[in-house]
Amino acid sequence: MDPEFGVGMAPRKREPWRTTLLLAYQSLGVVYGDLSISPLYVYKSTFAEDITHSETNEEIFGALSFVFWTLTLIPLLKYVSIVLRADDNGEGGTFALYSLICRHANVSLLPNRQVADEELSTYKLECPPEVSEKSRIKVWLEKHKKLHTALLVMVMIGTCMVIGDGVLTPALSVFSAVSGLELSLSKDQHEYAVIPITCSILVFLFALQHYGTHRVGFLFAPIILSWLLCMSAIGLYNIIHWNPQVYQALNPYYMLKFLKKTRKSGWMSLGGILLCMTGSEAMFADLGHFSYSSIQLAFTSLVYPSLILGYMGQAAYLSKHHNLDASYQIGFYIAVPESVRWPVLVLAILASVVGSQAIISGTFSIINQSQSLSCFPRVKVVHTSDKIHGQIYIPEVNWMLMILCIAVTVGFRNTKRMGNASGLAVITVMLVTTCLMSLVIMLCWHRSPAWALVFLLLFGSIEALYFSASLIKFLEGAWLPILLALILLAVMFVWHHTTIKKYEFDLHNKVTLEWLLALGDKLGMVRVPGIGLVYTDLTSGVPANFCRFVTNLPAFHRVLVFVCVKSVPVPHVLPAERYLVGRVGPPGHRSYRCIVRYGYRDVHQDVDSFETELVESLVTFIKLDALFRCSDAERRDSSYERENALTVIGSNPLRRHLDYDDSHEGASSVEMSAGIYSPNGIELAASAQGPAIKKQVRFAAASPRVDERVLEELHELCEAREAGTAFILGHSHVQTKPESSLLKKLAVGVGYNFLRRNCRGPDVALRVPPASLLEVGMVYVL
């Protein structure tokens, strides 16, 4: 294999076939719900008004040919064969591609990047930076800062369209499934019955979200499996019974005949045909929950053949029935035999609910990722499952989606307008993925720009054709995703831009270490019992909000910890690599710095487990630091002047040092558990575990001389933990400079402050208990 191909194209580790089969079965309900229900509305949207179904069958055969080759080229060739290989440590989606690009090229706008982050085991590079030859594209991207902003805006556009799809897909899929009642009701009765039933199902669907997908997830796969088998059987029946020669329409020549006969109307009808690949992005976005081989197996062996048979069956039926009302009767249900129409209707409604659930869960996930990268206002994230990672629920977003879905259903009232809106959102996300993927091919897989250009031209031209067909229907529904995207993009860009400017303000106004060390000598400055956790975005220096705190209240805690919770461009950070701990000042000052690193898909801990792990990390650092200090005179003299001298605290380095120390004669042990002190050691235990369960950690002391200093420091930490922990956060208010432009005053002074007042505060995002919260007011003049 070509070594430049990289891990993205390398042979993957084979997993047991039973595991692959099980994951492939489970992926049916999570990944393929949206894609599987597309036959409900594709032909109906295609033949809505743009083209007519004539007796020559050129229109229906041309539409079938377009559907077949679209499904073959985009979901099968692009996603299954190529894009799924561009995983980020097993994770997929828009942010996974952006994360890969940011790790291989310095294009990230996140300001608190550290060299230590590149030592994470999940910070995987296919080729070491010093070995790989810098391409001209990479140098060009890193040189122009405006391209960094353009890349982030592109990712934001894709994110906004995914959120827009979360509004449109539930409305379209449920409305299309319920529309099967049209064959049993008159046209007037149908119009008055479908809307209330659809809205009721949508309210029920969104009301169930807070229970979590795992509660009903075991039903999803059987429903989609039954739906795919049912659709295949009906399609096969229609092919045999009505037109066995329909397979001839798979010839791409019928696409040319279709466009030649229908001309502009046929081009505009492509906006309905593109709905056949709705949900293809989910195969990549949900990659982290399954595996490449399982998703590939499920699609190639079941989903793809079932969809082709379903579309061919509808085309076979329509090729023998020409006296149909195109805007009313051409659809999935007209081709279903009357004897099984009602069971199929019920199964279709269930399948549409499953498909809607998948896109709703995906919307929650991508908003959580956007929030972790400071691209979305803070919202409350509820983790609905302790066992299944990544299943979350966001209350505010859930109810807003429900209101918008109902508004779309009541406002549009037909499949055509909903399809036009949904189609534009879907194809925009695919275009963004194609553009990002072309960069991944060059920067991450180290292929020549020619390969990236071939990928971009092949798939980008197809998607650009569909995009133009959707965009031309701006006034017929396509305006809605554009409007939603513009609103969301403005919110995300204002929040991200102001967050970066606030960080730069903190960076320029941070206080020196000498100022902090001099506080103890000032008259009236008091060190009170307890642990003070000062939250800041800075990875070095003393933040200005702490300066404001001690200026107005001349006292701070006996043990002081500057905590920086930061996101790194990886999906997950291993617990053993999460904490970076160092000292701020000499050991006697009892001040520390702790950088807590999370990936963009990591679950943030609750405050009890976080506080416990933080204290245990401090204990581990104190012990290891004493060992290093005894053997390194240079470190003893100068290390505490270096603010960036941080140590990774986790299970691996701790166990390594313990094993070494326990093997030497004369080593004594120190046990840590809260509230217990003995001549042999100190115990620090998690208070949240209760009196019956103690979390104990053993440490080894190198010599009696070190023991005295270490035990004294550990004893003070134990007493501070018993006295209580205070969380000191900045409560910010942003003002613009008088000479700022009107646009900046509106965006930052009005827009950002409005979002800050009406979204969750940092205490909610960090899960800080209100009884232990101290907020320090800060005015940022940007």
Side-chain angles (χ1 to χ4, degrees), residues 366-495:
I366 201 166
I367 287 178
N368 187 41
Q369 294 173 39
S370 304
Q371 180 181 237
S372 68
L373 296 179
S374 302
C375 294
F376 200 85
R378 288 181 293 266
V379 291
K380 182 180 180 180
V381 178
V382 179
H383 297 276
T384 58
S385 175
D386 296 330
K387 298 179 180 179
I388 304 176
H389 179 79
Q391 291 194 356
I392 59 175
Y393 166 69
I394 303 178
E396 301 97 321
V397 175
N398 181 67
W399 301 122
M400 289 183 67
L401 287 178
M402 186 192 75
I403 294 172
L404 290 174
C405 278
I406 294 175
V408 168
T409 304
V410 175
F412 283 165
R413 291 178 173 265
N414 62 63
T415 308
K416 177 189 173 183
R417 292 180 179 273
M418 293 183 192
N420 293 339
S422 179
L424 184 63
V426 168
I427 201 64
T428 304
V429 176
M430 290 184 173
L431 275 171
V432 170
T433 300
T434 300
C435 295
L436 293 177
M437 191 64 204
S438 62
L439 291 176
V440 168
I441 291 174
M442 289 185 292
L443 301 178
C444 306
W445 291 356
H446 309 291
R447 303 296 289 178
S448 66
W451 284 104
L453 185 62
V454 168
F455 180 88
L456 184 63
L457 292 179
L458 176 60
F459 299 109
S461 59
I462 297 172
E463 291 161 357
L465 176 66
Y466 282 121
F467 180 80
S468 63
S470 296
L471 196 60
I472 200 68
K473 297 184 177 181
F474 179 82
L475 298 177
E476 299 176 13
W479 58 269
L480 181 59
I482 295 177
L483 178 63
L484 288 175
L486 288 176
I487 295 174
L488 288 170
L489 185 63
V491 168
M492 294 172 71
F493 192 78
V494 165
W495 187 267

Side-chain angles (χ1 to χ4, degrees), residues 14 54 68 101 127 133 177 195 218 310 316 338 342 345 360 370 411 642 651 714 728 775:
R14 290 184 177 273
S54 65
F68 172 77
I101 295 170
C127 191
E133 183 179 334
I195 300 297
F218 66 94
E338 191 172 352
W342 282 103
L345 174 65
I360 293 170
S370 304
R642 302 199 313 267
S651 58
L714 293 175
I728 304 172
E775 288 191 309

Side-chain angles (χ1 to χ4, degrees), residues 81-354:
S81 300
I82 301 176
V83 175
L84 284 182
R85 297 177 181 271
D87 64 293
D88 182 12
N89 292 286
E91 297 290 341
T94 305
F95 277 97
L97 295 178
Y98 182 64
S99 172
L100 281 173
I101 295 170
C102 289
R103 293 213 302 270
H104 288 80
N106 188 17
V107 295
S108 175
L109 293 179
L110 292 177
N112 54 0
R113 183 175 180 179
Q114 291 176 288
V115 177
D117 298 334
E118 299 181 7
E119 299 174 359
L120 292 169
S121 58
T122 50
Y123 199 101
K124 184 174 61 178
L125 298 178
E126 286 78 1
C127 191
E130 64 273 7
V131 176
S132 62
E133 183 179 334
K134 277 198 171 185
S135 64
R136 295 181 180 179
I137 300 294
K138 181 178 179 179
V139 174
W140 181 61
L141 280 175
E142 292 180 342
K143 183 179 179 181
H144 296 84
K145 298 297 182 182
K146 291 184 178 179
L147 294 178
H148 304 180
T149 305
L151 183 63
L152 180 64
V153 169
M154 183 192 302
V155 175
M156 286 181 176
I157 290 174
T159 302
C160 294
M161 286 299 181
V162 170
I163 299 172
D165 198 23
V167 173
L168 297 165
T169 295
L172 174 62
S173 57
V174 175
F175 183 86
S176 301
V178 177
S179 294
L181 295 171
E182 66 188 4
L183 301 180
S184 304
L185 303 172
S186 66
K187 193 170 183 177
D188 294 335
Q189 292 174 332
H190 164 257
E191 291 180 353
Y192 288 105
V194 171
I195 300 297
I197 294 175
T198 301
C199 293
S200 301
I201 293 175
L202 289 173
V203 170
F204 177 75
L205 173 63
F206 283 99
L208 290 178
Q209 292 301 312
H210 72 280
Y211 290 107
T213 306
H214 66 286
R215 306 271 183 184
V216 291
F218 66 94
L219 291 175
F220 285 3
I223 289 173
I224 297 300
L225 178 61
S226 303
W227 167 250
L228 289 171
L229 295 177
C230 172
M231 183 172 58
S232 303
I234 293 173
L236 195 60
Y237 167 80
N238 286 328
I239 293 172
I240 297 173
H241 187 265
W242 295 108
N243 190 355
Q245 305 300 318
V246 72
Y247 70 89
Q248 297 177 358
L250 303 184
N251 189 333
Y253 174 68
Y254 280 91
M255 292 191 291
L256 298 177
K257 292 181 66 176
F258 174 84
L259 293 176
K260 184 177 180 180
K261 180 178 180 180
T262 56
R263 298 182 182 275
K264 183 180 178 181
S265 298
W267 169 57
M268 295 177 65
S269 69
L270 295 180
I273 292 175
L274 75 86
L275 295 175
C276 70
M277 52 183 175
T278 301
S280 300
E281 188 76 23
M283 288 190 288
F284 185 46
D286 292 325
L287 184 60
H289 299 287
F290 303 97
S291 64
Y292 170 78
S293 56
S294 63
I295 291 179
Q296 184 184 45
L297 176 64
F299 183 79
T300 55
S301 63
L302 180 61
V303 178
Y304 178 75
S306 300
L307 289 173
I308 298 301
L309 285 175
Y311 285 115
M312 289 179 65
Q314 291 185 60
Y317 180 89
L318 294 174
S319 66
K320 300 299 181 182
H321 298 79
H322 304 94
N323 299 321
L324 299 174
D325 184 353
S327 63
Y328 180 50
Q329 289 185 325
I330 290 184
F332 174 80
Y333 293 104
I334 194 67
V336 177
E338 191 172 352
S339 59
V340 296
R341 191 166 290 165
W342 282 103
V344 171
L345 174 65
V346 174
L347 187 58
I349 292 176
L350 292 175
S352 68
V353 169
V354 173

Side-chain angles (χ1 to χ4, degrees), residues 679-692:
N680 295 327
I682 301 175
E683 290 188 352
L684 286 171
S687 59
Q689 303 294 331

